[in-house]
Amino acid sequence: MYNNILVPIDISEDTLTDKALKHAIYLAKASDAKLHLFHSIPDVSRFSMSYSYHYDLLASFAKKALERSEEQLKEIISKIDYPAEKISFNVVYGSPRDKVLVEAEEIDADLIVIGSRNPSITTHLLGSNASGIVSYAKISVLVVR
């Protein structure tokens, strides 16, 4: 049914991650699909322009954020009951919505499984990231609550 399942991971939101990941693992097992975890770190360059932070300090922060995010994804992956050779991950900087859509194309995903918070009036029926991904994705998106 599916060959490549993309799971955007919000490292700071354990509940969203756990729920979406459980669904993605179930579907991956049923389809013998590859599972690709993905995390997007907010772009630090906007902080340097807005607050005039020193570039070296921001570069150091960005490197540590990337390393920490990769460690956290590896930790999540180590707990997944699925063959390691069928799991991959990536961490990038930028807007989650935009980067998830780019990642989906790059890995040739045929499904995105994403967690969503309870909506507010400003995000209508979905959380803002989930809403943006659903609106612009060229492939199927499963939104998990």
Side-chain angles (χ1 to χ4, degrees):
M1 181 180 241
Y2 299 109
N3 295 313
N4 292 307
I5 300 173
L6 174 61
V7 187
I9 301 290
D10 185 342
I11 290 172
S12 65
E13 293 279 350
D14 290 343
T15 303
L16 289 180
T17 295
D18 291 345
K19 289 179 181 180
L21 201 50
K22 284 179 184 176
H23 281 76
I25 292 166
Y26 175 81
L27 292 169
K29 286 180 177 180
S31 302
D32 194 35
K34 293 179 184 172
L35 198 57
H36 185 78
L37 279 58
F38 177 79
H39 178 67
S40 178
I41 300 169
D43 186 5
V44 295
S45 65
R46 67 181 179 191
F47 295 113
S48 66
M49 292 185 301
S50 299
Y51 300 105
S52 301
Y53 285 122
H54 193 270
Y55 178 76
D56 292 338
L57 178 63
L58 286 175
S60 173
F61 168 75
K63 182 180 177 189
K64 287 181 183 179
L66 181 70
E67 289 169 356
R68 182 66 182 131
S69 296
E70 288 177 348
E71 288 172 13
Q72 289 174 302
L73 283 182
K74 287 178 185 176
E75 187 176 317
I76 291 169
I77 288 169
S78 73
K79 297 175 184 174
I80 295 175
D81 178 26
Y82 201 61
E85 65 274 4
K86 290 201 162 262
I87 305 173
S88 60
F89 72 92
N90 192 21
V91 179
V92 300
Y93 290 97
S95 159
R97 181 199 71 191
D98 297 339
K99 295 300 180 176
V100 165
L101 297 174
V102 168
E103 191 77 6
E105 285 189 34
E106 287 181 2
I107 68 162
D108 195 28
D110 44 14
L111 177 66
I112 299 170
V113 179
I114 188 167
S116 178
R117 293 181 187 86
N118 288 330
S120 68
I121 193 67
T122 59
T123 56
H124 305 287
L125 298 177
L126 300 172
S128 59
N129 285 325
S131 178
I133 291 167
V134 169
S135 295
Y136 294 100
K138 297 177 183 175
I139 60 173
S140 297
V141 179
L142 173 59
V143 179
V144 179
R145 290 215 174 130

